[in-house]
Amino acid sequence: ALRETYRLAVIEADLDSTVDAEKVAAAGVPAVQLRTGGFCHVEAAMVQEALACLDPGDLDLILLENVGNLVCPAQSDTGAHASALILSVPEGDDKPLKYPVAFAACQVVVLNKIDYLGFEGFDVVAFRQRVARLNPRAPVLELSCRSGAGLDVWLAWLGERLRGPWRA
C-alpha cells in the first residue's frame, strides 16, 4: 500500500538470513539486508552502512525493521525519526508488563493480527491500559494485515509523520 503513494525502501535486520529482504524486494520495494551476526539490535552506524546502498535523496520513506525482539532494540538509537512497536495478538497482552522500555520508547503501538482476537484470550482493554501507563502519548492502532482492517489508520499515522517538522 505504501509503494503506491511514497518512494520507499526497507532496511531489514536479522541475525543471519535474507528471507525478509527477499520478500520485500519481490514485492517491488528496494530492500537492504543487515545481518547482525548475533547482535540483538541495530545501531545508527549499521543504518548508515545500509543507507550507503540506497539513494535517500530519492526516497520519501525508509522503513527499518529492527531485530525482532522487545528487549534490546528499544535501548539503542537507530537514528530513526519515529519508532513504531508492532505486536501480534498471539504474543499476548502481557508484553507491556514484561518489556516496559520498548513500549515507553515508541511513538505508536500497532496491535497486529487482530483477526486472532477471538482465539487467543487477548484482553485488548488491559493491553491498552498497560500501554497508556507506560506511554500515554502513544496511540494503539489495531490492524489486520490479512484483512486490511485498520490499515487506513496506520497509513494515515505514517503519512502525518512524513509531513512532520523534521521533513526537509
Side-chain angles (χ1 to χ4, degrees), residues 19-116:
V19 173
D20 291 339
E22 290 168 5
K23 287 180 183 178
V24 171
V29 176
V32 176
Q33 182 69 53
L34 291 177
R35 289 187 180 131
T36 66
F39 217 49
C40 68
H41 64 278
V42 172
E43 294 179 342
M46 297 166 135
V47 174
Q48 186 175 14
E49 185 178 313
L51 289 173
C53 299
L54 300 169
D55 187 354
D58 286 341
L59 298 170
D60 300 313
L61 176 64
I62 300 171
L63 297 170
L64 166 64
E65 181 184 2
N66 211 330
V67 176
N69 74 53
L70 293 174
V71 180
C72 299
Q75 297 173 341
S76 65
D77 183 5
T78 63
H81 292 287
S83 176
L85 186 151
I86 302 174
L87 181 85
S88 297
V89 167
E91 294 179 79
D93 57 38
D94 60 348
K95 292 304 179 268
L97 300 172
K98 294 181 176 185
Y99 308 107
V101 174
F103 286 88
C106 65
Q107 282 80 44
V108 64
V109 175
V110 178
L111 180 59
N112 193 19
K113 299 186 181 179
I114 59 169
D115 37 323
Y116 284 91

Side-chain angles (χ1 to χ4, degrees), residues 90-147:
E91 294 179 79
D93 57 38
D94 60 348
K95 292 304 179 268
L97 300 172
K98 294 181 176 185
Y99 308 107
V101 174
F103 286 88
C106 65
Q107 282 80 44
V108 64
V109 175
V110 178
L111 180 59
N112 193 19
K113 299 186 181 179
I114 59 169
D115 37 323
Y116 284 91
L117 283 172
F119 304 104
E120 292 292 328
F122 191 101
D123 186 336
V124 176
V125 173
F127 178 75
R128 286 179 169 279
Q129 290 171 344
R130 291 167 181 156
V131 171
R133 276 196 298 274
L134 295 167
N135 192 341
R137 294 179 310 279
V140 175
L141 309 180
E142 296 182 23
L143 174 66
S144 169
C145 288
R146 181 175 299 257
S147 72

